[in-house]
């Protein structure tokens, strides 16, 4: 029996092996390893999937965030509003570009940016808001776009965990995650919902000028080879990864449904449990369940985690420390107590195995083991 894993990429690969291998072989046969035709084709298909005018591929999700921030005329010291409860990459690029991360707390039920606190974070130096569609569902994009438009702020959606999620606005129009703000970014890290066999990332935009700028910055700031109009970076999706992604993109919606089924089984199993709070759904967004994240109440989360590990059930804490309390970010002057929800979530959350190949007997065993702990 194969061990239960957080994510089962081997079994997923087995099912698409022939298609993927043929795609990779073609790249090798043609030896166009950098900027081969598959990269362009994938970018086109990705844009079409995401209902965005442009998708610009790059080396990874962190680069995608950085290139996005570079595409605007932000000045050192300008402020960017970002949730305290996120993966560090979102904040790292803000700091690297000498912008100032201004943290905002999240809501205790959906883990998304608390839009009720948003206006209070805006100062004359604010230039952008970076909503993170954490764990696979969208932040409240109605309020975020409304406030951004009112104050003339840019919006960069971090869609690294939510590719394929759909957001329904209050006026009933629908958009894909990452196609709502000025720019949306995603990551093709292997365990992401659309993962490749190495690193990869992409940026989405509907704006012609931004589309060109993103492409240019990702490619050493050049439009024409050896003529550099701006300072850029070297960040490319390689052709082998594009070939893999071309195959996997066709399965992305199936993968999302498979994850949803696993999530619904967990929901049913934990309903009404005194110590286990299943993840709440954002009203206006579908959930693609990059993570299925419980809150453990009135019990020791870390003891549960150890108990599960001892019984062959992996689990993960995303994230154990909020970004404002990470050693690297103490220089911004935040302290314990500043973002109480983010801080308390770090003590309570526990993400369970969820992936496209979950066997029902494995899931039954996971559920049974969790319940046995209490
Ligand atoms: C994975 C992730 C990133 C970074 O993506 P990489 O491809 O690993 O650089 C950024 N933001 C969030 C929320 C992520 O989950």
């Amino acid at each position: 029996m194969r061990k239960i894993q957080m994510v089962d990429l081997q079994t997923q690969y087995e099912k698409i092996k022939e298609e993927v291998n043929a795609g990779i072989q073609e790249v090798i046969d043609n030896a166009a390893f950098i900027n081969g035709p598959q990269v362009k084709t994938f970018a086109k298909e990705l844009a079409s999937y995401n209902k965005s005018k442009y998708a610009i591929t790059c080396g990874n999700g962190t680069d995608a965030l950085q290139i996005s921030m570079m595409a605007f005329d932000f000045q050192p010291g300008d402020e960017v509003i970002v949730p305290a409860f996120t993966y560090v990459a979102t904040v790292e690029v803000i700091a690297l570009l000498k912008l100032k991360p201004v943290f905002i707390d999240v809501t205790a039920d959906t883990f998304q940016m608390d839009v009720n606190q948003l206006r209070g974070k805006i100062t004359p130096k604010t230039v952008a808001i970076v909503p993170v569609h954490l764990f696979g569902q969208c932040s409240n994009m109605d309020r975020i776009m409304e406030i951004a438009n009112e104050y003339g702020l840019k919006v960069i959606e971090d869609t690294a965990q939510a590719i394929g999620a759909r957001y329904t606005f209050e006026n009933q129009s629908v958009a894909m995650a990452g196609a709502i703000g000025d720019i949306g970014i995603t990551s093709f890290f292997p365990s992401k919902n659309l993962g490749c066999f190495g690193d990869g990332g992409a940026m989405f935009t509907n704006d012609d000028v931004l589309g060109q700028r993103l492409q240019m910055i990702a490619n050493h700031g050049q439009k024409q080879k050896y003529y550099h109009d701006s300072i850029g970076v070297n960040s490319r999706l390689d052709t082998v990864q594009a070939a893999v992604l071309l195959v996997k993109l066709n399965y992305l919606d199936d993968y999302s449904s498979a994850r949803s089924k696993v999530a619904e089984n967990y929901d049913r199993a934990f309903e009404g449990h005194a110590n286990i709070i299943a993840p709440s759904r954002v009203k206006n967004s579908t959930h693609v369940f990059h993570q299925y994240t419980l809150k453990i109440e009135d019990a020791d989360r870390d003891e549960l985690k150890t108990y599960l590990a001892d019984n062959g059930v992996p689990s993960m804490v995303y994230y154990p420390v909020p970004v404002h309390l990470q050693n690297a970010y103490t220089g911004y002057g935040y302290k314990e107590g500043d973002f109480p929800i983010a801080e308390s979530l770090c003590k309570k959350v526990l993400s369970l195995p969820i992936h496209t190949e979950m066997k029902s007997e494995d899931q039954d065993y996971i559920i049974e083991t969790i319940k046995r702990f209490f």
Side-chain angles (χ1 to χ4, degrees), residues 60-62 65 86-87 89-90 132 158 160-161 187 189 192 200 319:
N60 57 65
T62 309
L65 282 162
T86 181
Y87 182 54
T90 326
V132 180
D158 184 339
Q161 301 187 2
S187 161
F189 185 83
K192 295 281 158 85
Y319 298 92

Side-chain angles (χ1 to χ4, degrees), residues 50-105:
N50 217 53
K51 297 180 172 54
S52 295
K53 194 160 180 191
Y54 302 98
I56 295 100
T57 56
C58 64
N60 57 65
T62 309
D63 278 2
L65 282 162
Q66 179 175 337
I67 295 162
S68 299
M69 304 263 169
M70 290 170 74
F72 299 107
D73 209 12
F74 297 157
Q75 298 302 311
D78 284 352
E79 296 176 2
V80 178
I81 300 171
V82 60
F85 189 58
T86 181
Y87 182 54
V88 71
T90 326
V91 182
E92 191 171 50
V93 299
I94 298 171
L96 269 175
L97 295 172
K98 306 272 183 254
L99 307 168
K100 182 179 170 200
V102 171
F103 293 110
I104 182 167
D105 214 341

Side-chain angles (χ1 to χ4, degrees), residues 69-348:
M69 304 263 169
M70 290 170 74
F72 299 107
D73 209 12
F74 297 157
Q75 298 302 311
D78 284 352
E79 296 176 2
V80 178
I81 300 171
V82 60
F85 189 58
T86 181
Y87 182 54
V88 71
T90 326
V91 182
E92 191 171 50
V93 299
I94 298 171
L96 269 175
L97 295 172
K98 306 272 183 254
L99 307 168
K100 182 179 170 200
V102 171
F103 293 110
I104 182 167
D105 214 341
V106 295
T107 60
D109 52 354
T110 65
F111 316 140
Q112 306 298 318
M113 173 183 289
D114 182 358
V115 292
N116 292 325
Q117 299 188 25
L118 199 45
R119 279 172 203 277
K121 300 285 169 187
I122 296 171
T123 76
K125 299 210 111 184
T126 309
V127 289
I129 306 170
V130 183
V132 180
H133 302 322
L134 202 70
F135 301 151
Q137 57 184 346
C138 295
S139 303
N140 184 339
M141 294 309 291
D142 275 287
R143 289 292 86 70
I144 291 168
M145 294 311 292
E146 176 187 300
I147 294 171
N149 288 334
E150 188 182 326
Y151 290 88
L153 308 176
K154 304 298 179 192
V155 174
I156 300 167
E157 298 173 72
D158 184 339
T159 316
Q161 301 187 2
I163 183 127
R166 285 175 174 74
Y167 187 83
T168 305
F169 288 92
E170 284 159 0
N171 70 11
Q172 297 308 307
S173 66
V174 178
M176 301 297 288
I180 302 168
D182 297 275
I183 302 174
I185 73 94
T186 199
S187 161
F188 306 123
F189 185 83
S191 64
K192 295 281 158 85
N193 288 32
L194 177 61
C196 60
F197 291 178
D199 274 310
M203 300 160 279
F204 300 105
T205 186
N206 293 314
D207 183 294
D208 298 329
V209 176
L210 272 178
Q212 278 210 359
R213 275 193 67 73
L214 293 170
Q215 186 85 61
M216 185 171 86
I217 294 166
N219 184 25
H220 295 293
Q222 64 188 356
K223 266 189 241 157
Q224 192 188 346
K225 210 166 170 61
Y226 305 122
Y227 294 84
H228 305 272
D229 298 325
S230 69
I231 296 176
V233 297
N234 174 25
S235 185
R236 299 183 281 233
L237 181 72
D238 71 63
T239 316
V240 168
Q241 304 310 334
V244 172
L245 289 164
L246 267 170
V247 175
K248 289 185 76 176
L249 182 59
N250 294 324
Y251 295 97
L252 180 55
D253 286 340
D254 294 342
Y255 290 161
S256 299
S257 329
R259 286 172 178 276
S260 283
K261 285 210 183 83
V262 175
E264 283 159 21
N265 287 340
Y266 278 139
D267 281 350
R268 271 192 296 276
F270 300 131
E271 203 182 333
H273 195 287
N275 306 96
I276 303 173
I277 315 286
S280 299
R281 309 298 197 272
V282 168
K283 200 173 75 209
N284 291 4
S285 174
T286 61
H287 200 322
V288 294
F289 286 100
H290 177 60
Q291 298 298 341
Y292 185 90
T293 303
L294 299 175
K295 281 191 294 181
I296 305 303
E297 300 279 3
D298 305 317
D300 191 322
R301 186 264 323 264
D302 294 330
E303 259 175 47
L304 169 60
K305 189 175 189 307
T306 306
Y307 177 81
L308 294 177
D310 290 346
N311 287 279
V313 175
S315 63
M316 293 292 281
V317 174
Y318 300 118
Y319 298 92
V321 180
V323 190
H324 69 286
L325 299 180
Q326 296 282 356
N327 289 338
Y329 295 93
T330 50
Y332 294 102
Y334 292 102
K335 58 184 187 315
E336 196 150 359
D338 284 346
F339 305 99
I341 307 289
E343 291 166 23
S344 95
L345 287 177
C346 290
K347 299 189 178 99
K348 288 181 185 175

Side-chain angles (χ1 to χ4, degrees), residues 18-77:
E18 279 175 31
E19 279 179 276
V20 168
N21 287 8
I24 294 174
Q25 189 61 51
E26 195 185 338
V27 177
I28 297 171
D29 290 342
N30 294 325
F33 298 112
I34 299 294
N35 291 332
Q38 289 87 343
V39 178
K40 220 178 231 159
T41 310
F42 172 65
K44 236 185 226 148
E45 293 194 8
L46 181 66
S48 147
Y49 173 86
N50 217 53
K51 297 180 172 54
S52 295
K53 194 160 180 191
Y54 302 98
I56 295 100
T57 56
C58 64
N60 57 65
T62 309
D63 278 2
L65 282 162
Q66 179 175 337
I67 295 162
S68 299
M69 304 263 169
M70 290 170 74
F72 299 107
D73 209 12
F74 297 157
Q75 298 302 311

